[in-house]
Amino acid sequence: MHNIQPINLADPVTPEMNLYLYFKQVAGTLSPLSVQMLEFLVSSGTSRGWFPNTVQLTERFVDEHPAETISATLSELIQHRLLYLDPEQPDRIVSIVGGISQNKTAFRAMTDSNVAFYLLGALDALTVAPMLQKEVSIRTTCGQTGETIELTVNDEGTWVGCNPSTVAGFLPGWDGSECIPTIMNRSRLFLHSTALNEWQSANNDPDGLPLTQDTIRGVGMEMALALSELYARISIS
């Protein structure tokens, strides 16, 4: 399955809009089984903190679908950039739609299940609560200073807690073809706008949308809500 070539965005527009347009492109193309499998993986990842591997995932659905259909569906999910496998362990799922990660990252999240799970980047931290329709608490560190940031977002995408209150962020640009987990390495939160500016300068002003402490709750959450609606359509049957 590692040899499967992913589908790219058909008509890239701008680095800031391409990710949304890609998932809009994908949302209407998935089979019902693809959505069911993603729903199962999202539930496993956020309520247990881990994903089943592809063998266990096949066993979960094999009573209802032929093994060949399940294998083709897994290939479809990989092709559409909704599921990524570990290159060193071919059966191990490392991340899925919404940036939910099997590996520990800088973004630790928790719902009312009180089980920690991890997210790939700041964009995922903004989208996960409305995607899951649950309040989510996120703990991370400033991308520039390394100091702790805590954020709580409710099921509607409203910030109900933020420490410090001056948080800024950076949403990475995407060219329509790069590996999505790779771009999320450039998606961070910051203590304040000054730290954001310093990080941009230190990283040669990467493509993307800087969100100051004045715009992150407006423009940032507006974009996050639009993307989370697509994530939910893709992963909730």
Side-chain angles (χ1 to χ4, degrees):
M1 288 187 180
H2 284 295
N3 296 323
I4 295 171
Q5 291 301 309
I7 292 173
N8 295 334
L9 176 63
D11 298 301
V13 178
T14 63
E16 294 80 9
M17 285 297 297
N18 285 342
L19 199 63
Y20 171 80
L21 293 173
Y22 177 76
F23 284 109
K24 187 175 181 180
Q25 171 182 298
V26 167
T29 65
L30 297 181
S31 66
L33 181 56
S34 288
V35 177
Q36 291 171 25
M37 290 175 75
L38 282 176
E39 184 174 35
F40 180 70
L41 288 169
V42 168
S43 177
S44 296
T46 59
S47 65
R48 303 175 190 173
W50 55 271
F51 302 132
N53 61 34
T54 58
V55 174
Q56 294 165 329
L57 191 61
T58 299
E59 291 171 349
R60 165 64 179 78
F61 288 95
V62 76
D63 289 340
E64 305 162 28
H65 303 275
E68 295 80 3
T69 301
I70 296 171
S71 179
T73 302
L74 282 169
S75 296
E76 179 184 51
L77 294 176
I78 295 167
Q79 187 177 35
H80 285 94
R81 302 174 183 273
L82 303 173
L83 183 154
Y84 286 88
L85 299 178
D86 186 334
E88 303 298 326
Q89 301 178 55
D91 292 330
R92 184 173 182 265
I93 298 169
V94 291
S95 67
I96 60 171
V97 63
I100 301 167
S101 174
Q102 177 94 293
N103 299 327
K104 288 187 176 182
T105 71
F107 291 84
R108 183 179 184 270
M110 189 178 293
T111 66
D112 55 6
S113 67
N114 294 317
V115 175
F117 61 98
Y118 293 87
L119 302 167
L120 294 176
L123 179 58
D124 309 311
L126 300 184
T127 60
V128 67
M131 171 190 169
L132 297 175
Q133 289 293 286
K134 292 181 178 181
E135 184 170 288
V136 179
S137 298
I138 295 131
R139 184 183 179 92
T140 187
T141 55
C142 173
Q144 180 64 16
T145 70
E147 295 177 65
T148 299
I149 293 171
E150 295 178 329
L151 176 66
T152 302
V153 184
N154 71 13
D155 59 345
E156 297 180 347
T158 301
W159 292 21
V160 294
C162 182
N163 183 31
S165 61
T166 54
V167 166
F170 185 82
L171 304 187
W174 188 52
D175 64 4
S177 63
E178 190 177 7
C179 176
I180 292 174
T182 299
I183 70 165
M184 288 305 168
N185 289 331
R186 305 192 291 271
S187 182
R188 298 302 303 268
L189 294 178
F190 301 90
L191 286 181
H192 37 59
S193 298
T194 300
L196 165 63
N197 293 336
E198 291 172 351
W199 177 86
Q200 286 182 274
S201 297
N203 288 275
N204 300 314
D205 292 316
D207 281 338
L209 182 65
L211 297 169
T212 68
Q213 58 204 54
D214 298 318
T215 62
I216 191 168
R217 299 189 192 211
V219 175
M221 286 313 300
E222 183 178 335
M223 292 183 65
L225 284 171
L227 190 55
S228 69
E229 288 177 8
L230 294 178
Y231 287 167
R233 283 172 59 191
I234 290 166
S235 61
I236 299 176
S237 57

